[in-house]
Amino acid sequence: MLTACVLCLARKPTLVKMAQLLRSPLLSSAAIRSASTGTLEVKEPLNFWGGGRVKPLSSSNAEPVYEPATGHVLCQMVPCVDEEVDQAIKSAHSAYLKWSKMSGMERARVMLEAARIIRERRDDIAKVEVINNGKSITEAKVDIDVAWTCIEYYAGIAGTLAGQHVQLPGSCFAYTRREPLGVCVGIGAWNYPFQIAAWKSAPALACGNAMVFKPSPMTPVTAVMLAEIYAEAGVPEGLFNVVQGGAETGTLLCHHPMVAKVSFTGSVPTGKKIMEMSAKGVKPVTLELGGKSPLIIFQDSELENAVKGALMANFLTQGEVCCNGTRVFVQKDILPKFLEEVVKRTKAIPLGDPLLDGTRMGALISRPHLDRVLGFINQAKKEGARVLCGGEPYVPADPKLKGGYFMSPCVLDNCRDDMTCVKEEIFGPVMSVLPFDTEEEVLQRANNTTFGLAAGVFTRDIARAHRVVENLQAGTCFINNYNISPVEVPFGGYKMSGFGRENGQVTIEYYSQLKTVVVEMGDVDSLF
């Protein structure tokens, strides 16, 4: 015990030094607006707690973060160590004690102000998102709109949170209280950095919680911008904190005794580890994991819409979307026409500088990930699939993009259910097309997967559409459309795609707990 106390005392000067906050913005509006592809460099610290950015204890373990479109170093990501994680969580807990005592309407006003600031700065945030993530500016602007809409939506719910009154026999009654959990941890993914931070923080804050958010180490920047916006909007200092790092930092967060809940978006293997670590503290978890979702196109479908739906189901964000409908089942009678149209449109997708308005597909997140996706295509060819278009590294004409992580979007034909490209999540712009004959057959094949995140069906037969959706083993289903995720409706999966939900009213239940209070107004009826 004495040794432990001595160690604690020895750390105190370091912690005081760490607590020096940087209140200036991570990036000025002028710096963002003057930036172009390959020119932005972020040199400021990327950790945020206690109402400001915090310099890391040490930069010796810094990792370079690359701009996907150019391969240039965008910034250095310094993972948080145990002392820093501890301080971020304690800062969040102090803020939680204040925030949780505010009324729902008071919290709503602050959240609405945050939504307003995001809406006002949408173009700047989207630009930084593109530079850090590689997706097209057109998509990034939609992502930022979804983010502020989500915060606005949960601000509207904050003031409606209430319990229930239950009259019991005689002079006895009971009521319930919906109460916050405390400090929640959000662990984000690199495909939707800002949007996921909003999706996790908005319901958490609406319920009266605080959040410590860890972005992906490959996209560390825009979550800090969200933290600055919450602070500017007027949340208590420390309510939304950002800690940087990879698996080690995530482990520290999951094990910390002051963390009440963990919400994770990412891969199945990592999700299993987070579930295991959180279980040791009996912490509730929300897991939004991978998918290998089926898109079923019947012969009576409106072909134009089916083709557009298949493109939306496969090529948003360079195919790096967990709920993508990458197994495209097409009824045999329309297969030749479908392939002709989908290949023609896939070949016409404009690739290149993601900051240009005309670009529809940008760069993949990293060189290793690009190589992994291309490896899946090579494996598919070995197993007998036929590449109808794309599937190769792409080098844009613009010299500054020569080092970027681009590839041409790919359509695979002659696929079978037992192929690697059909069974495993590729997470890139690769569409696998499979023929089918009957509804019964395709349902069995569609459900023959360990995943269950999403599914879709195109048909003009409304009875068939609802019948098929009823029998699809997936948490999010689409009829005659795909990859539409309004914040008003829940999103989440079945089976190994995770559990819990994000968005919609039901998510309040995952960020709050119910207390039952039984009241006796008369005498106690005792057996003793």
Side-chain angles (χ1 to χ4, degrees):
M1 289 294 293
L2 180 61
T3 304
C5 291
V6 170
L7 286 173
C8 290
L9 288 169
R11 283 179 178 175
K12 283 184 178 178
T14 305
L15 289 174
V16 171
K17 184 179 179 182
M18 268 178 50
Q20 294 176 351
L21 301 178
L22 303 172
R23 304 282 186 176
S24 58
L26 175 66
L27 291 165
S28 68
S29 181
I32 295 171
R33 291 176 186 179
S34 65
S36 59
T37 302
T39 66
L40 186 65
E41 189 174 356
V42 181
K43 296 183 178 180
E44 293 292 318
L46 296 169
N47 294 319
F48 188 103
W49 56 79
R53 288 181 297 105
V54 185
K55 291 183 178 180
L57 270 175
S58 170
S59 297
S60 61
N61 56 346
E63 302 172 12
V65 176
Y66 300 97
E67 179 180 5
T70 64
H72 293 166
V73 174
L74 171 65
C75 61
Q76 297 290 329
M77 189 281 296
V78 182
C80 284
V81 295
D82 55 354
E83 296 98 325
E84 293 166 308
V85 168
D86 184 63
Q87 191 174 44
I89 291 172
K90 287 177 178 175
S91 166
H93 187 262
S94 295
Y96 156 72
L97 296 176
K98 301 172 185 175
W99 182 251
S100 61
K101 297 303 180 185
M102 294 168 63
S103 71
M105 290 298 291
E106 289 173 316
R107 294 197 294 266
R109 279 192 285 271
V110 178
M111 293 177 68
L112 287 172
E113 175 63 9
R116 183 198 66 77
I117 296 170
I118 294 170
R119 190 164 58 244
E120 187 178 272
R121 298 177 191 169
R122 170 235 206 185
D123 290 354
D124 285 356
I125 301 168
K127 190 173 185 179
V128 178
E129 190 85 322
V130 168
I131 292 170
N132 198 179
N133 166 272
K135 67 174 66 186
S136 73
I137 187 66
T138 303
E139 282 193 51
K141 288 179 179 179
V142 174
D143 294 352
I144 308 310
D145 286 340
V146 171
W148 68 254
T149 303
C150 180
I151 295 171
E152 197 170 72
Y153 173 75
Y154 283 107
I157 289 179
T160 70
L161 300 179
Q164 181 185 22
H165 175 275
V166 180
Q167 184 60 51
L168 300 173
S171 58
C172 190
F173 69 91
Y175 64 91
T176 59
R177 291 171 50 91
R178 187 159 292 282
E179 298 182 345
L181 299 171
V183 177
C184 300
V185 162
I187 301 177
W190 46 257
N191 54 345
Y192 288 87
F194 193 87
Q195 181 178 302
I196 289 175
W199 275 19
K200 293 188 186 302
S201 62
L205 269 55
C207 290
N209 301 292
M211 175 162 278
V212 177
F213 186 80
K214 189 193 81 65
S216 163
M218 288 191 282
T219 51
V221 180
T222 50
V224 184
M225 298 174 74
L226 178 61
E228 291 178 335
I229 288 168
Y230 275 133
E232 184 179 342
V235 303
E237 291 185 349
L239 192 73
F240 180 81
N241 296 330
V242 177
V243 295
Q244 303 292 346
E248 197 170 312
T249 305
T251 299
L252 293 169
L253 290 167
C254 291
H255 283 309
H256 199 286
M258 293 178 75
V259 168
K261 179 214 167 65
V262 180
S263 177
F264 169 75
T265 298
S267 70
V268 173
T270 305
K272 288 180 178 179
K273 292 175 184 175
I274 284 172
M275 190 174 174
E276 181 182 355
M277 290 186 290
S278 300
K280 292 178 180 178
V282 198
K283 296 178 173 72
V285 296
T286 294
L287 300 177
E288 198 274 277
L289 308 178
K292 194 67 184 178
S293 302
L295 174 59
I296 302 170
I297 299 173
F298 286 95
Q299 61 188 18
D300 69 336
S301 63
E302 169 57 54
L303 189 64
E304 170 77 6
N305 282 332
V307 169
K308 290 193 290 186
L311 295 173
M312 288 291 288
N314 281 271
F315 298 139
L316 288 175
T317 310
Q318 303 76 244
E320 299 163 324
V321 182
C322 53
C323 56
N324 269 358
T326 52
R327 294 184 294 144
V328 181
F329 294 93
V330 183
Q331 207 155 20
K332 282 182 178 176
D333 287 353
I334 61 168
L335 181 59
K337 184 63 176 174
F338 172 84
L339 288 174
E340 179 186 344
E341 286 298 313
V342 85
V343 168
K344 181 174 71 175
R345 288 178 183 242
T346 301
K347 287 180 175 178
I349 294 173
L351 278 72
D353 188 339
L355 283 178
L356 297 181
D357 289 333
T359 298
R360 287 297 175 269
M361 185 174 289
L364 276 69
I365 189 65
S366 69
R367 177 69 63 187
H369 185 63
L370 171 61
D371 293 340
R372 179 179 179 273
V373 174
L374 295 172
F376 271 108
I377 296 169
N378 289 331
Q379 181 66 26
K381 288 190 285 188
K382 290 177 183 176
E383 294 178 8
R386 182 170 63 232
V387 177
L388 298 184
C389 65
E392 297 177 343
Y394 177 79
V395 181
D398 188 336
K400 69 174 179 285
L401 306 177
K402 297 290 185 184
Y405 318 132
F406 296 90
M407 67 170 284
S408 51
C410 178
V411 177
L412 296 175
D413 183 24
N414 202 36
C415 296
R416 303 184 312 274
D417 293 353
D418 62 348
M419 287 180 171
T420 305
C421 65
V422 176
K423 294 190 298 182
E424 296 187 22
E425 186 175 33
I426 298 175
F427 224 62
V430 183
M431 180 193 302
S432 299
V433 182
L434 305 104
F436 76 92
D437 287 308
T438 68
E439 178 182 322
E440 182 181 12
E441 167 216 339
V442 77
L443 273 170
Q444 188 277 325
R445 294 169 63 193
N447 289 329
N448 186 24
T449 174
T450 58
F451 297 109
L453 187 53
V457 56
F458 275 81
T459 178
R460 294 181 187 178
D461 184 337
I462 194 67
R464 171 194 278 156
H466 290 288
R467 184 172 64 244
V468 168
V469 162
E470 179 185 354
N471 288 284
L472 285 168
Q473 297 167 6
T476 304
C477 294
F478 305 93
I479 295 176
N480 294 330
N481 211 330
Y482 206 92
N483 268 341
I484 306 300
S485 299
V487 299
E488 300 94 329
V489 297
F491 176 79
Y494 286 4
K495 300 192 279 190
M496 290 184 72
S497 290
F499 51 81
R501 291 296 180 266
E502 295 189 300
N503 294 339
Q505 293 185 38
V506 71
T507 302
I508 294 300
E509 296 180 16
Y510 297 104
Y511 283 99
S512 61
Q513 54 195 346
L514 210 57
K515 176 182 287 181
T516 298
V517 181
V518 181
V519 181
E520 176 58 69
M521 301 292 286
D523 294 331
V524 175
D525 185 9
S526 175
L527 294 176
F528 306 102

